[in-house]
Amino acid sequence: MSTLSPNLSAIPSLRVSCSHCNLREHCVPLGLSLRDIDRLEDLIASRKRIHRGEPLFRAGDRFEAIYAIRLGFLKSSVMSSDGREQVTNFHMSGELIGLDGIANEVHSCDVIALEDTEVCVIPYERILAACSEIEDYNLHFQKILSREIVRQHGLMLLLGSMHAEERLAAFLLNLSQRFESRGYSRTEFVLRMTRAEIGSYLGLKLETVSRVLSRFSHDRLIAVNQKHVHIIDAEGLRAIVSGQNPEEIIEE
Amino acid sequence: MSTLSPNLSAIPSLRVSCSHCNLREHCVPLGLSLRDIDRLEDLIASRKRIHRGEPLFRAGDRFEAIYAIRLGFLKSSVMSSDGREQVTNFHMSGELIGLDGIANEVHSCDVIALEDTEVCVIPYERILAACSEIEDYNLHFQKILSREIVRQHGLMLLLGSMHAEERLAAFLLNLSQRFESRGYSRTEFVLRMTRAEIGSYLGLKLETVSRVLSRFSHDRLIAVNQKHVHIIDAEGLRAIVSGQNPEEIIEE
DNA sequence: CGTTTGTTTGAGGTATGTCAAACTGCGTGG
DNA sequence: CCACGCAGTTTGACATACCTCAAACAAACG
């Protein structure tokens, strides 16, 4: 792996332009020079489509590549020995998947597409090669890994010490922020996952998720219609996250 | 940072021998050649002692180094904006601390010594230098980061879907296994942390921790005397973790 | 030895889980 | 195109695991 896939440009349909990809700021957060960004394109071996409901990979699969989401929506989950599932993350465009596989050369979680999805396949050897060939790519990739660690700290805080309402409020605000940073509306979006999957992610049962969403809806913080969510009072949600549960409005 | 601290060997008291360190298999899990292990010693700038109760670093501190624990015991914790603390990990000898800081060049959690502790200070620039200079060190360090991600997945499973008894049983078995792999007894050890800290880590209140430990003690799974724990029936604990709650023994 | 910090245990409350039933929207096939 | 079935959601009634508050106890610490 001394040169980076010199032959790929021969296959135009597979050739990807990172420098023109509007997801660039997500995959390549560091201030790389344009010249280096061009070289990043060589990391990508191919693209892959996954249909709704299908796995990108499963726990136990051999780890070979990191995936960058071009478009779509997926969930990661781990299973306990006795079959309980815990959703560990929801992924949207621009995010990287598969970092867990580096540890043992085997994936430790399932990743399932929640809608039809397309990913860039980045063979891990190429990432290692880039680390030694591209100035600063080392630091760049370590930051990506570290960022995931920090993200999970936040999730542990949520799971370990927040109430159902706080968890849901934090969840909605997080989604909102991520949609916004991708150019979508931060106030209206569609939940790609079921109530049960939200519940698993937040350490709650689906009935609790449903009830809390109904309560938010009743309190005019959001409007929910099935999967469609409209955030009406983001400030109110933020207040809930930080425990500022305001005096309850007297029920009529 | 092209050469690795050539002047440090002039300070014998600070000179550390990784190759003779009995924690080597923890800090250096990869099968590095002896020659490379020798070079690892150059990573360490100094050692640092932290007294019980004192911080190694705090959230917001500038990130400069990774720390390898030579001996002692510490906790990591994150705080929510409204002051709730979540313990995210307990650390013992041979483990690396500070990986969270890579992401933003600032630490995102507090690390406090729970007993007098001594750590090796490994400036992060030296790690980056090693990544480009030592064959395979790149992969090695990325594995360390990925392993932390995988570990946290397990913790999320615990926090999101396990009962108090299962959490405690998993916690005790995890400690037991880590003590054993360091050459200590896997059946008798001292808890360095308070019930409140265990509770924070496991998403429980200290009273619940205390009650569950008492129940385990009553059921002859363990013997507890304050901080001292004796694991009597590891198999029984394992059964609890995997949800195999056996028919309750009739209370006398 | 008194004070502080941590632990245990009890009584009672509550948030969330469990079980169940009705409802909705969607896709499939008649 | 309608009807059917299915997967997902909502809502209610009830159960319970865990939390809260409180008091007594134990250990550690100056």
Side-chain angles (χ1 to χ4, degrees), chain A residues 73 175 179 188-193 227-229:
Chain A
F73 202 90
L175 277 186
F179 280 121
E188 296 202 52
F189 46 84
V190 173
L191 300 173
R192 254 62 216 219
M193 68 297 278
K227 304 254 182 198
H228 191 97
V229 173

Side-chain angles (χ1 to χ4, degrees), chain B residues 163-164 203-205 207-208 211 226:
Chain B
H163 291 173
L204 303 169
K205 295 294 164 184
E207 295 94 330
T208 305
R211 267 185 255 272
Q226 298 289 126

Side-chain angles (χ1 to χ4, degrees), chain A residues 48-65:
Chain A
K48 187 172 173 179
R49 287 164 193 275
I50 312 103
H51 287 293
R52 182 161 175 271
E54 295 298 312
L56 174 58
F57 56 76
R58 289 200 170 277
D61 287 358
R62 179 159 185 77
F63 166 68
E64 269 147 4

Side-chain angles (χ1 to χ4, degrees), chain B residues 47-50 68-72 115-120:
Chain B
R47 299 207 213 148
K48 186 171 174 181
R49 289 164 191 275
I50 314 105
I69 308 171
R70 283 186 59 81
L71 85 209
E115 62 179 14
D116 289 358
T117 291
E118 185 176 331
V119 297
C120 299

Side-chain angles (χ1 to χ4, degrees), chain A residues 36-51:
Chain A
D36 285 339
I37 290 174
D38 281 343
R39 300 185 63 188
L40 278 191
E41 299 172 12
D42 298 323
L43 292 180
I44 294 158
S46 62
R47 301 208 211 147
K48 187 172 173 179
R49 287 164 193 275
I50 312 103
H51 287 293

